[in-house]
Amino acid sequence: MRRPKNREPSAQNRQVEAEASDGEGGGDTEMIQQETAPVPAQSKKTKQPKECFLIKPKETKEDATKTKRRRKKKITDVLAKSEPKPGTPEDLQNLMKDYFSSSRSVIELEELNLPDSCFLKANDLTHSLSSYLREICPKWVKLRKNHNEKKSVLMLIICSSAVRALELIRSMTAFRGDSKVMKLFAKHIKVQEQVKLLEKRVVHLGVGTPGRIKELIKQGGLNLNPLKFLVFDWNWRDQKLRRMMDIPEIRKEVFELLEMGVLSLCKSESLKLGLF
């Protein structure tokens, strides 16, 4: 038997297949064109953010005064504006009452009052140390010659520091003459060394700090009974414009020293207090 020959597609069939393939390919191209078509740009332009600057309001006089009031005042500022005034016995009495007011009753506070006869004339800020000591103790030469007790002094000058004590010793050369002067402070000097010196020789004048003088009294190296004059370096001010009684530590030591027999000697009128 003879096999049928493969007939070639007719022209009409080729035309139909071409049209079908063209239809399928055209749809794909239209979808690709829709997917890759660029997005149209927005017609309105986006606004760029603007920078903002805060303007500080001008400071008025009232605001300036408020800030000054808020600023904490220092003791140096207060003392710098205050005029120097000489110390008075009332100043010492008032400070003593304020210090003991929290630990003593009203009756005990009244017992602390010292009569006016206990106080020497205060320095009016016109004296040097030598001229002031001459005024309050015109018979010093006679007293010095009659003093022969060891472990004691005739006059004590109390100040706030060792440096100030050395300055006072140099400034009293015209008054002291041949008097024996002893440094009574803690800088570079041990207590036991000072006790031995007081035991060996007669001393007329002692210049030092209240803390060291207290310690010498506690250890028996210094007897206050022969003491005739106790002078406070009251009006002198340091670099911070503080007087010795403006410093809390010194003020505390001074009042503790007064309790160690000084007040009783003042009331018996055997000891006089001076404010230089």
Side-chain angles (χ1 to χ4, degrees):
M1 294 179 61
R2 292 182 180 179
R3 291 182 181 179
K5 294 180 180 180
N6 292 331
R7 296 180 181 178
E8 294 180 0
S10 61
Q12 185 178 0
N13 291 336
R14 286 196 300 268
Q15 185 178 1
V16 172
E17 289 176 1
E19 288 178 359
S21 62
D22 291 340
E24 290 176 0
D28 293 339
T29 54
E30 286 179 1
M31 290 178 65
I32 293 170
Q33 289 177 358
Q34 287 178 1
E35 288 177 0
T36 58
V39 180
Q42 295 180 359
S43 59
K44 294 183 180 179
K45 295 183 179 179
T46 56
K47 294 182 179 179
Q48 296 295 331
K50 295 182 180 180
E51 295 182 358
C52 296
F53 298 94
L54 296 176
I55 301 174
K56 187 178 180 181
K58 293 183 178 180
E59 188 178 11
T60 60
K61 292 182 179 180
E62 294 180 358
D63 296 334
T65 53
K66 286 181 181 179
T67 53
K68 287 181 181 179
R69 288 174 186 172
R70 290 175 187 171
R71 179 174 169 268
K72 188 177 180 181
K73 291 184 179 180
K74 297 180 180 180
I75 186 172
T76 309
D77 300 332
V78 176
L79 294 174
K81 295 179 181 178
S82 62
E83 295 181 359
K85 294 181 181 179
T88 61
E90 290 78 12
D91 295 336
L92 177 59
Q93 297 270 38
N94 292 333
L95 286 174
M96 193 159 49
K97 286 181 180 178
D98 292 339
Y99 178 79
F100 292 110
S101 60
S102 60
S103 60
R104 303 209 174 183
S105 63
V106 178
I107 298 174
E108 290 174 335
L109 289 175
E110 291 178 356
E111 294 176 353
L112 294 174
N113 290 332
L114 297 174
D116 295 337
S117 58
C118 293
F119 292 94
L120 299 163
K121 184 179 179 181
N123 180 22
D124 57 358
L125 304 182
T126 61
H127 284 282
S128 65
L129 181 58
S130 290
S131 64
Y132 176 71
L133 296 179
R134 282 175 178 172
E135 183 175 350
I136 64 174
C137 185
K139 298 181 181 180
W140 173 252
V141 177
K142 184 177 179 180
L143 283 172
R144 176 176 59 80
K145 289 180 179 180
N146 295 331
H147 177 66
N148 53 12
E149 294 185 35
K150 296 179 181 179
K151 299 172 64 175
S152 64
V153 293
L154 284 173
M155 181 182 291
L156 267 178
I157 301 176
I158 298 178
C159 57
S160 59
S161 65
V163 176
R164 177 59 180 167
L166 295 175
E167 292 177 359
L168 291 173
I169 292 173
R170 288 192 293 267
S171 64
M172 62 191 298
T173 305
F175 170 78
R176 71 184 187 183
D178 296 333
S179 303
K180 301 296 182 183
V181 183
M182 188 167 178
K183 306 167 187 175
L184 302 178
F185 49 77
K187 192 172 184 180
H188 306 309
I189 306 174
K190 296 181 180 180
V191 181
Q192 296 302 325
E193 294 178 2
Q194 292 174 335
V195 171
K196 290 179 182 179
L197 290 174
L198 288 168
E199 290 174 349
K200 287 181 180 180
R201 60 187 183 184
V202 176
V203 180
H204 305 103
L205 279 162
V207 184
T209 55
R212 176 48 61 93
I213 294 171
K214 267 175 43 189
E215 192 63 29
L216 289 170
I217 295 171
K218 285 181 182 179
Q219 297 197 16
L222 183 62
N223 180 19
L224 293 179
N225 290 328
L227 185 64
K228 300 299 179 185
F229 303 95
L230 180 62
V231 179
F232 294 101
D233 185 30
W234 192 274
N235 298 299
W236 181 79
R237 297 179 185 270
D238 59 10
Q239 292 181 350
K240 297 181 179 180
L241 302 178
R242 300 175 302 178
R243 298 172 300 180
M244 62 176 290
M245 298 302 279
D246 294 326
I247 305 172
E249 296 82 7
I250 301 297
R251 183 169 62 247
K252 178 177 178 292
E253 291 175 345
V254 165
F255 291 132
E256 290 176 352
L257 176 61
L258 292 179
E259 284 189 297
M260 299 177 70
V262 174
L263 293 177
S264 59
L265 290 173
C266 290
K267 291 179 180 179
S268 65
E269 297 188 355
S270 64
L271 175 63
K272 304 291 183 182
L273 299 178
L275 304 179
F276 172 65

PDB file of all heavy atoms in Angstrom, residues 89-90 93 114-120:
ATOM      1  N   PRO A  89      33.692  95.543 122.735  1.00  0.00           N
ATOM      2  CA  PRO A  89      33.350  94.470 123.685  1.00  0.00           C
ATOM      3  C   PRO A  89      31.972  93.874 123.442  1.00  0.00           C
ATOM      4  O   PRO A  89      31.757  92.679 123.686  1.00  0.00           O
ATOM      5  CB  PRO A  89      33.423  95.184 125.037  1.00  0.00           C
ATOM      6  CG  PRO A  89      34.382  96.314 124.822  1.00  0.00           C
ATOM      7  CD  PRO A  89      34.167  96.756 123.418  1.00  0.00           C
ATOM      8  N   GLU A  90      31.039  94.692 122.947  1.00  0.00           N
ATOM      9  CA  GLU A  90      29.696  94.165 122.655  1.00  0.00           C
ATOM     10  C   GLU A  90      29.742  93.102 121.562  1.00  0.00           C
ATOM     11  O   GLU A  90      28.960  92.135 121.591  1.00  0.00           O
ATOM     12  CB  GLU A  90      28.757  95.308 122.238  1.00  0.00           C
ATOM     13  CG  GLU A  90      28.375  96.265 123.347  1.00  0.00           C
ATOM     14  CD  GLU A  90      29.477  97.264 123.666  1.00  0.00           C
ATOM     15  OE1 GLU A  90      30.450  97.348 122.871  1.00  0.00           O
ATOM     16  OE2 GLU A  90      29.388  97.943 124.699  1.00  0.00           O
ATOM     17  N   GLN A  93      30.749  89.893 123.231  1.00  0.00           N
ATOM     18  CA  GLN A  93      29.651  89.390 124.073  1.00  0.00           C
ATOM     19  C   GLN A  93      28.549  88.770 123.216  1.00  0.00           C
ATOM     20  O   GLN A  93      28.018  87.694 123.546  1.00  0.00           O
ATOM     21  CB  GLN A  93      29.061  90.547 124.898  1.00  0.00           C
ATOM     22  CG  GLN A  93      30.027  91.195 125.878  1.00  0.00           C
ATOM     23  CD  GLN A  93      30.014  90.537 127.254  1.00  0.00           C
ATOM     24  OE1 GLN A  93      29.897  89.330 127.365  1.00  0.00           O
ATOM     25  NE2 GLN A  93      30.144  91.354 128.281  1.00  0.00           N
ATOM     26  N   LEU A 114      30.169  89.547 130.836  1.00  0.00           N
ATOM     27  CA  LEU A 114      31.350  90.098 131.512  1.00  0.00           C
ATOM     28  C   LEU A 114      31.139  91.580 131.780  1.00  0.00           C
ATOM     29  O   LEU A 114      30.618  92.301 130.920  1.00  0.00           O
ATOM     30  CB  LEU A 114      32.594  89.898 130.643  1.00  0.00           C
ATOM     31  CG  LEU A 114      32.997  88.437 130.367  1.00  0.00           C
ATOM     32  CD1 LEU A 114      34.159  88.405 129.381  1.00  0.00           C
ATOM     33  CD2 LEU A 114      33.369  87.721 131.647  1.00  0.00           C
ATOM     34  N   PRO A 115      31.550  92.063 132.923  1.00  0.00           N
ATOM     35  CA  PRO A 115      31.415  93.502 133.205  1.00  0.00           C
ATOM     36  C   PRO A 115      32.344  94.324 132.319  1.00  0.00           C
ATOM     37  O   PRO A 115      33.343  93.825 131.795  1.00  0.00           O
ATOM     38  CB  PRO A 115      31.797  93.604 134.684  1.00  0.00           C
ATOM     39  CG  PRO A 115      32.638  92.394 134.953  1.00  0.00           C
ATOM     40  CD  PRO A 115      32.132  91.314 134.050  1.00  0.00           C
ATOM     41  N   ASP A 116      32.015  95.586 132.170  1.00  0.00           N
ATOM     42  CA  ASP A 116      32.833  96.473 131.325  1.00  0.00           C
ATOM     43  C   ASP A 116      34.246  96.628 131.858  1.00  0.00           C
ATOM     44  O   ASP A 116      35.176  96.915 131.086  1.00  0.00           O
ATOM     45  CB  ASP A 116      32.167  97.845 131.226  1.00  0.00           C
ATOM     46  CG  ASP A 116      30.835  97.775 130.504  1.00  0.00           C
ATOM     47  OD1 ASP A 116      30.641  96.815 129.725  1.00  0.00           O
ATOM     48  OD2 ASP A 116      29.996  98.674 130.712  1.00  0.00           O
ATOM     49  N   SER A 117      34.413  96.434 133.167  1.00  0.00           N
ATOM     50  CA  SER A 117      35.746  96.587 133.755  1.00  0.00           C
ATOM     51  C   SER A 117      36.719  95.504 133.294  1.00  0.00           C
ATOM     52  O   SER A 117      37.933  95.640 133.478  1.00  0.00           O
ATOM     53  CB  SER A 117      35.642  96.559 135.285  1.00  0.00           C
ATOM     54  OG  SER A 117      35.042  95.340 135.722  1.00  0.00           O
ATOM     55  N   CYS A 118      36.185  94.423 132.693  1.00  0.00           N
ATOM     56  CA  CYS A 118      37.065  93.348 132.199  1.00  0.00           C
ATOM     57  C   CYS A 118      37.765  93.724 130.904  1.00  0.00           C
ATOM     58  O   CYS A 118      38.766  93.093 130.540  1.00  0.00           O
ATOM     59  CB  CYS A 118      36.253  92.078 131.965  1.00  0.00           C
ATOM     60  SG  CYS A 118      35.595  91.327 133.459  1.00  0.00           S
ATOM     61  N   PHE A 119      37.252  94.736 130.217  1.00  0.00           N
ATOM     62  CA  PHE A 119      37.758  95.056 128.881  1.00  0.00           C
ATOM     63  C   PHE A 119      38.671  96.285 128.912  1.00  0.00           C
ATOM     64  O   PHE A 119      38.382  97.278 129.595  1.00  0.00           O
ATOM     65  CB  PHE A 119      36.594  95.313 127.931  1.00  0.00           C
ATOM     66  CG  PHE A 119      35.777  94.085 127.628  1.00  0.00           C
ATOM     67  CD1 PHE A 119      34.641  93.802 128.367  1.00  0.00           C
ATOM     68  CD2 PHE A 119      36.156  93.216 126.620  1.00  0.00           C
ATOM     69  CE1 PHE A 119      33.890  92.674 128.107  1.00  0.00           C
ATOM     70  CE2 PHE A 119      35.410  92.080 126.351  1.00  0.00           C
ATOM     71  CZ  PHE A 119      34.276  91.809 127.100  1.00  0.00           C
ATOM     72  N   LEU A 120      39.729  96.177 128.133  1.00  0.00           N
ATOM     73  CA  LEU A 120      40.613  97.330 127.914  1.00  0.00           C
ATOM     74  C   LEU A 120      40.068  98.165 126.764  1.00  0.00           C
ATOM     75  O   LEU A 120      39.133  97.766 126.069  1.00  0.00           O
ATOM     76  CB  LEU A 120      42.023  96.828 127.576  1.00  0.00           C
ATOM     77  CG  LEU A 120      42.707  95.992 128.650  1.00  0.00           C
ATOM     78  CD1 LEU A 120      43.875  95.222 128.052  1.00  0.00           C
ATOM     79  CD2 LEU A 120      43.172  96.870 129.807  1.00  0.00           C
TER      80      LEU A 120
END
